[in-house]
């Protein structure tokens, strides 16, 4: 009976080992490009949510600071994560005026919400309702 069980076990073990090696190689190969893509998307979102007139952006702690050509601060941006999304975390980049309270706009970085309903957070009609509002009044 042992002779009939060992060959299939050995075959399955070898197949599982090859699959694990392939998955590890794919993970190692794609990790860098995925990180670069996320960083690029975040940078684009920071620039998109800044007030008009911002020509330079610097990171200070958890905030991004938007400045004009003269170095005067015009606004801020911050990344926020809501872990209570239906399809997982919702990541947003929110832009603020110089007072750090008035919302300029936001951009969705990541969301896996229900198509048609939850994904409305990416539409201008939905996001526009927050523009110009004070952060404490939302």
């Amino acid at each position: 009976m042992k002779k009939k069980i060992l060959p299939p076990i050995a075959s399955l073990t070898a197949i599982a080992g090859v699959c694990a090696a392939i998955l590890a190689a794919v993970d190692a190969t794609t990790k860098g490009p995925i990180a670069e893509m996320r960083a690029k998307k975040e940078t684009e979102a920071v620039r998109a949510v800044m007030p008009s007139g911002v020509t330079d952006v610097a990171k200070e702690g958890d905030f991004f600071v938007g400045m004009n050509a003269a170095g005067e601060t015009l606004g801020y941006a911050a990344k926020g994560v809501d872990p209570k999304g239906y399809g997982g975390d919702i990541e947003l980049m929110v832009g603020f005026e110089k007072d750090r309270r008035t919302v300029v706009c936001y951009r969705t970085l990541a969301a896996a919400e229900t198509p048609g309903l939850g994904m409305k957070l990416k539409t201008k009609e939905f996001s526009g309702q927050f523009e110009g509002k004070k952060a404490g009044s939302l």
Side-chain angles (χ1 to χ4, degrees):
M1 182 140 181
K2 285 186 180 179
K3 290 182 182 180
K4 290 182 180 179
I5 294 176
L6 288 179
I9 290 174
S11 295
L12 287 174
T13 302
I15 291 169
V18 169
C19 290
I22 291 170
L23 287 172
V26 169
D27 181 59
T29 304
T30 59
K31 195 173 281 186
I34 289 172
E36 288 175 19
M37 182 183 67
R38 284 187 180 153
K40 182 180 177 188
K41 188 174 182 179
E42 185 176 273
T43 301
E44 289 171 355
V46 168
R47 293 214 175 264
V49 300
M50 285 290 179
S52 61
V54 170
T55 57
D56 190 32
V57 176
K59 187 163 184 176
E60 290 183 9
D62 292 335
F63 285 91
F64 295 89
V65 181
M67 297 162 283
N68 62 12
E72 179 186 358
T73 299
L74 299 179
Y76 298 87
K79 183 177 174 182
V81 179
D82 183 357
K84 297 178 183 175
Y86 182 76
D89 291 352
I90 298 173
E91 295 180 24
L92 301 175
M93 183 64 69
V94 183
F96 298 96
E97 294 287 346
K98 189 176 180 177
D99 65 3
R100 293 187 187 211
R101 291 185 43 105
T102 306
V103 175
V104 174
C105 64
Y106 75 83
R107 291 291 182 270
T108 306
L109 297 175
E113 297 303 290
T114 306
L117 181 61
M119 292 308 285
K120 286 186 179 182
L121 66 102
K122 291 185 175 183
T123 66
K124 182 67 176 166
E125 293 81 27
F126 183 84
S127 65
Q129 68 182 319
F130 302 106
E131 294 176 12
K133 300 271 176 138
K134 298 288 184 189
S137 66
L138 298 176

